[in-house]
Amino acid sequence: MVKAREVKPVPGRKTDVCDAQWRQRLHEYGLLRASFQPHGESATLRSDLRQRERLLEAAAAHIQPMQKALTQMNLQLQHVVADITGQTGLRIIRALVAGERDLDRLAALRDGRCKTPLATLCAALVGNDREEPVFALAQALELYEIYQAKVAACDERIAAGLERLQAQSPPPAAPLPPPRRAQPQANEPAVPVRAALHAILGGDLTQIDGIGPYLALKRVSACGPDLAAWPSAQHYTSWLDLAPHNKISGGKVLSSRTRRSGSRVAALLRLAAGAIGRTQTALGALYRRLAARVGKAKAITATARKIAVLVYNTLRHGMAYADPGASYDEERYRQRVLSNLRRRAKLIRPH
């Protein structure tokens, strides 16, 4: 497959068929660069993950009808429970659909991790027993659970694909380090993703700030278990459109903005960069310093590029990342400023 950017300057032919044949011949002679496409198990894993994302989007479309039906029944469950699709919310909704109306029995379905008091939960479940919203609630719940069952089937395929990738990879040299976060991420596959990726990649990408098991899995599905297709980290960040795209004319830089990108990996890295800005880490300090100087949009792009470089160095060069802390970036910036001031002072000639 040829990159669309490569065929833009190529002169076309009179018909679409002739134009396609002409581009195929140019690509056969090596005059057009091919776009990167994952092969083998990585391509299968990418397809399964994208199907899973579509199913999650379809399931999320039925959460709002459930909330609307609860509101029509004058039940304020969504105001006392963080997520009605969690353990507590789904237990209560299933009981309501089954015909249970006793407040004490409904409140007793609360999960042990729920912090809402029983009295508050009972007060939120006082409502009417109209037939129409109960019917709508039952149908929305049924559709939501159907999609969740399909998501579980995708998780089984993802687990099987990870096992096949593990069989093709040598065992890691170092043991799996302890996780940085105990709580799983939202909508994370119900498979041991972190341990499987450590066995496949030989390193733990989740030690990098902003990279969770689900994001690491999506990166492997999009770019493969290794990054041999990119000779350096600069090539990798340029492929992600996270590096400046300099437009130069007559030796003058007209623009250095990054190109618009449809890469899903780049979009995920940008989301991770935005979340990192609220942490007391070296990457968080970098984001806050850049945001104060050039704005949040450019700071997100620069931080996302930094994360991509760390990912590349981890996979290609076996780097083991350890967060040095927020003070590390601040001290490096301070030393760089002092060095620049000393250099400028030496250039000043005495009168």
Side-chain angles (χ1 to χ4, degrees):
M1 185 180 294
V2 180
K3 296 175 64 175
R5 191 182 300 125
E6 295 295 323
V7 300
K8 188 175 181 180
V10 176
R13 293 297 183 261
K14 292 185 177 181
T15 64
D16 292 341
V17 175
C18 294
D19 187 54
Q21 293 174 348
W22 170 241
R23 294 179 181 181
Q24 180 183 6
R25 179 172 296 181
L26 292 178
H27 183 46
E28 182 181 356
Y29 293 155
L31 299 177
L32 299 177
R33 286 187 296 180
S35 62
F36 174 78
Q37 294 292 328
H39 301 288
E41 294 298 335
S42 298
T44 304
L45 186 62
R46 183 182 68 169
S47 178
D48 294 338
L49 280 173
R50 291 185 178 180
Q51 173 65 14
R52 188 179 188 275
E53 292 177 0
R54 287 190 289 267
L55 291 173
L56 287 174
E57 292 176 358
H62 299 286
I63 298 177
Q64 188 174 4
M66 284 193 286
Q67 293 177 340
K68 182 178 180 180
L70 291 171
T71 303
Q72 290 176 346
M73 297 172 65
N74 200 27
L75 303 180
Q76 307 303 321
L77 181 63
Q78 63 269 29
H79 297 297
V80 297
V81 176
D83 184 10
I84 65 171
T85 60
Q87 293 291 334
T88 301
L90 286 179
R91 289 175 185 174
I92 294 176
I93 290 175
R94 292 190 185 106
L96 289 171
V97 170
E100 182 63 58
R101 296 296 181 268
D102 186 85
L103 297 181
D104 294 333
R105 292 182 179 178
L106 290 174
L109 298 174
R110 183 190 64 168
D111 189 81
R113 295 167 294 179
C114 182
K115 304 301 181 182
T116 305
L118 287 176
T120 304
L121 192 57
C122 289
L125 295 176
V126 177
N128 56 61
D129 197 13
R130 293 172 51 197
E131 181 181 355
E132 308 91 272
V134 174
F135 176 73
L137 179 64
Q139 287 206 328
L141 175 63
E142 182 181 0
L143 291 171
Y144 177 81
E145 292 183 332
I146 287 175
Y147 282 112
Q148 290 298 320
K150 301 300 181 183
V151 170
C154 285
D155 289 347
E156 294 178 0
R157 283 185 54 87
I158 291 172
L162 290 175
E163 289 180 0
R164 290 191 293 269
L165 283 174
Q166 290 183 55
Q168 301 172 4
S169 305
L176 179 65
R180 294 189 303 110
R181 178 183 298 178
Q183 296 294 332
Q185 294 177 323
N187 296 323
E188 188 174 321
V191 296
V193 174
R194 183 169 170 269
L197 290 181
H198 179 262
I200 295 170
L201 305 176
D204 187 14
L205 290 181
T206 61
Q207 297 299 314
I208 301 175
D209 296 307
I211 302 292
Y214 198 15
L215 175 56
L217 179 62
K218 292 181 179 180
R219 195 221 63 81
V220 170
S221 67
C223 306
D226 59 4
L227 300 177
W230 296 273
S232 65
Q234 288 77 12
H235 289 83
Y236 183 57
T237 55
S238 177
W239 178 76
L240 292 173
D241 288 328
L242 294 175
H245 178 57
N246 294 329
K247 294 182 180 180
I248 302 175
S249 178
K252 181 180 179 181
V253 178
L254 303 179
S255 174
S256 59
R257 298 181 60 183
T258 56
R259 291 190 296 255
R260 291 185 178 181
S261 172
S263 171
R264 302 192 182 195
V265 178
L268 292 172
L269 291 177
R270 291 178 188 273
L271 290 176
I276 282 177
R278 299 186 293 271
T279 61
Q280 295 300 320
T281 59
L283 292 175
L286 171 67
Y287 169 85
R288 290 188 292 272
R289 177 168 54 82
L290 292 177
R293 183 164 60 90
V294 297
K296 291 185 178 180
K298 293 183 179 179
I300 286 177
T301 300
T303 309
R305 181 193 176 277
K306 183 67 174 180
I307 298 173
V309 171
L310 293 175
V311 170
Y312 183 89
N313 291 333
T314 300
L315 297 182
R316 290 288 292 163
H317 306 301
M319 181 197 72
Y321 178 76
D323 176 41
S327 59
Y328 173 77
D329 181 80
E330 296 171 357
E331 181 62 24
R332 284 191 60 189
Y333 178 69
R334 179 176 174 274
Q335 295 297 331
R336 189 160 58 247
V337 171
L338 292 176
S339 177
N340 290 336
L341 290 176
R342 295 190 190 99
R343 178 180 54 83
R344 293 172 60 182
K346 290 180 181 180
L347 297 177
I348 299 176
R349 297 180 180 179
H351 295 288

